[in-house]
Amino acid sequence: MIQKIDKQAVQEALEMAYDRCKNETGGKNADYIPYLANVPSDLFGIAACLPDGDVVAVGDVKYRFGIESVSKVPTAILAMNQYSGEEVLQKIGADATGLPFNSIMAILLEKDHPSTPLVNAGAISACSMIRPTGDSQGKWQAIVEFIADLAGSPVEVIDELYKSETATNFNNKSIAWLLKNYNRIYDDPDLALDIYTRQCSIGVTAVQLAVMAATIANGGVNPITCKPVFKPELAPKITSMMATVGFYEHTGDWLFQTGLPAKTGVGGGIMGVVPGVMGVAAFAPPLDEAGNSVKAQKALAYISLHLNMGVFGTTRCVMEEKEPARA
Ligand code: GLN
């Protein structure tokens, strides 16, 4: 069964989600990265990008915040695009850890591979894979251009955030070198860690996240620029990874409640992919204890349920224009 939705329905769902969630006071800004502690806690924005490139948005959708772990998604796609899904599976893995994003225990438990590119260990490993290896500037260029292609607009590092993360990323340093010990770093560990830290410090808006998600939902073709950004067969691969571990140790609860493959970051952003239908994103800095934005989760859960976007349901939503021809 197909449920048709249109731009108007999406706009209304976003507005209702905004109204319902705007007074939510739960959670707390990340403070282990000093810059993030000082981002205004009341910022809140929601955006969606539809297959024809139309963007609908409400709230603080032009504010540039730290992409943080949402950046693990583009780098995982880029690694699969440069190598193959199989090779990333073999070098890194695609399993949920069931543990916090920065877990060292997860590496010790699964020392044969870092588990998934969507936790810190696997993301640092993915950064080490990105070509050209051994060339920090070249690697960085590849990553930042790839993110801009996904978003359909330029992105750059928030310098203050990068400095703040670099000065405090002791746990990630341990991860990089522990992975080196297990032969799961495919470049210089310090170089890979610096690239990871830089990519986490990229500033994005909720609209840019929604367009990135829409590019994935659209099989790798950016719906605004119409540019093919990555191989279409990788879209279901990355979406499955997001579904598996996008909320770390809370992922099962999230997926059970919403059916929406999504990825969070400690900057307060979340991006969700509804394959073939749309990309959706929300941003609000205060986080729950697993590092996932409280308000953005509530907003996206509301939208997913209200528009029936869960990917496991037998009634699936489609955009009005995309209704498949009937036999
Ligand atoms: N840069 C952050 C870190 O490495 C990203 C974590 C996150 O967003 N979950 O800790």
Side-chain angles (χ1 to χ4, degrees):
M1 268 211 316
I2 300 285
Q3 180 206 336
K4 288 185 284 175
I5 52 170
D6 58 15
K7 186 181 172 187
Q8 183 65 26
V10 176
Q11 179 78 50
E12 280 167 19
L14 261 59
E15 279 163 13
M16 282 193 281
Y18 186 86
D19 281 344
R20 278 166 184 251
C21 303
K22 65 177 187 242
N23 297 323
E24 164 70 54
T25 54
K28 188 166 147 302
N29 283 31
D31 57 8
Y32 74 100
I33 299 170
Y35 173 95
L36 297 178
N38 296 322
V39 175
S41 300
D42 56 352
L43 289 165
F44 181 34
I46 317 172
C49 177
L50 312 181
D52 56 6
D54 264 346
V55 169
V56 295
V58 53
D60 300 308
V61 290
K62 292 192 175 143
Y63 183 88
R64 280 178 73 238
F65 56 93
I67 187 171
E68 296 298 344
S69 283
V70 183
S71 69
K72 290 165 177 163
V73 171
T75 304
I77 307 172
L78 180 58
M80 291 193 283
N81 211 43
Q82 287 186 343
Y83 296 74
S84 67
E86 256 328 291
E87 198 158 348
V88 169
L89 182 66
Q90 182 234 320
K91 284 192 154 75
I92 298 176
D95 260 344
T97 60
L99 289 165
F101 58 82
N102 55 2
S103 176
I104 285 178
M105 173 113 67
I107 307 170
L108 295 171
L109 289 172
E110 291 220 44
K111 56 182 179 290
D112 57 334
H113 60 78
S115 297
T116 163
L118 302 192
V119 299
N120 290 20
I124 296 167
S125 187
C127 285
S128 78
M129 283 177 74
I130 298 300
R131 292 178 174 134
T133 45
D135 171 1
S136 176
Q137 197 42 40
K139 245 180 210 274
W140 175 245
Q141 208 62 26
I143 289 175
V144 84
E145 277 169 15
F146 191 72
I147 294 178
D149 279 349
L150 284 174
S153 52
V155 290
E156 57 184 44
V157 161
I158 302 173
D159 269 331
E160 211 189 318
L161 174 56
Y162 173 56
K163 286 190 189 116
S164 186
E165 288 215 35
T166 302
T168 52
N169 65 351
F170 312 116
N171 190 82
N172 287 340
K173 280 194 176 105
S174 317
I175 290 176
W177 282 95
L178 189 56
L179 289 174
K180 172 75 179 164
N181 183 53
Y182 292 126
N183 294 321
R184 292 292 166 175
I185 284 282
Y186 306 99
D187 202 341
D188 177 76
D190 289 327
L191 189 159
L193 176 64
D194 179 56
I195 294 289
Y196 168 78
T197 310
R198 267 202 262 176
Q199 75 170 34
C200 287
S201 308
I202 283 175
V204 285
T205 65
V207 167
Q208 284 180 310
L209 277 194
V211 180
M212 286 169 64
T215 303
I216 299 171
N218 216 19
V221 177
N222 185 306
I224 291 182
T225 62
C226 298
K227 180 173 176 176
V229 182
F230 63 84
K231 296 175 196 140
E233 65 268 25
L234 299 178
K237 301 291 180 209
I238 191 65
T239 309
S240 78
M241 284 176 172
M242 292 167 73
T244 311
V245 75
F247 290 68
Y248 310 112
E249 64 271 39
H250 289 179
T251 307
D253 287 356
W254 168 262
L255 204 56
F256 181 87
Q257 286 170 316
T258 67
L260 177 68
K263 180 75 201 81
T264 69
V266 290
I270 304 181
M271 96 178 174
V273 173
V274 193
V277 180
M278 75 173 99
V280 61
F283 156 65
L287 311 176
D288 65 16
E289 68 285 359
N292 306 318
S293 168
V294 172
K295 226 187 250 188
Q297 280 184 82
K298 289 211 162 145
L300 292 185
Y302 175 80
I303 294 165
S304 181
L305 296 174
H306 185 78
L307 294 177
N308 203 11
M309 299 197 305
V311 298
F312 303 108
T314 48
T315 48
R316 276 294 312 280
C317 67
V318 293
M319 292 308 294
E320 191 86 63
E321 301 81 348
K322 289 253 160 161
E323 189 189 6
R326 285 180 208 286

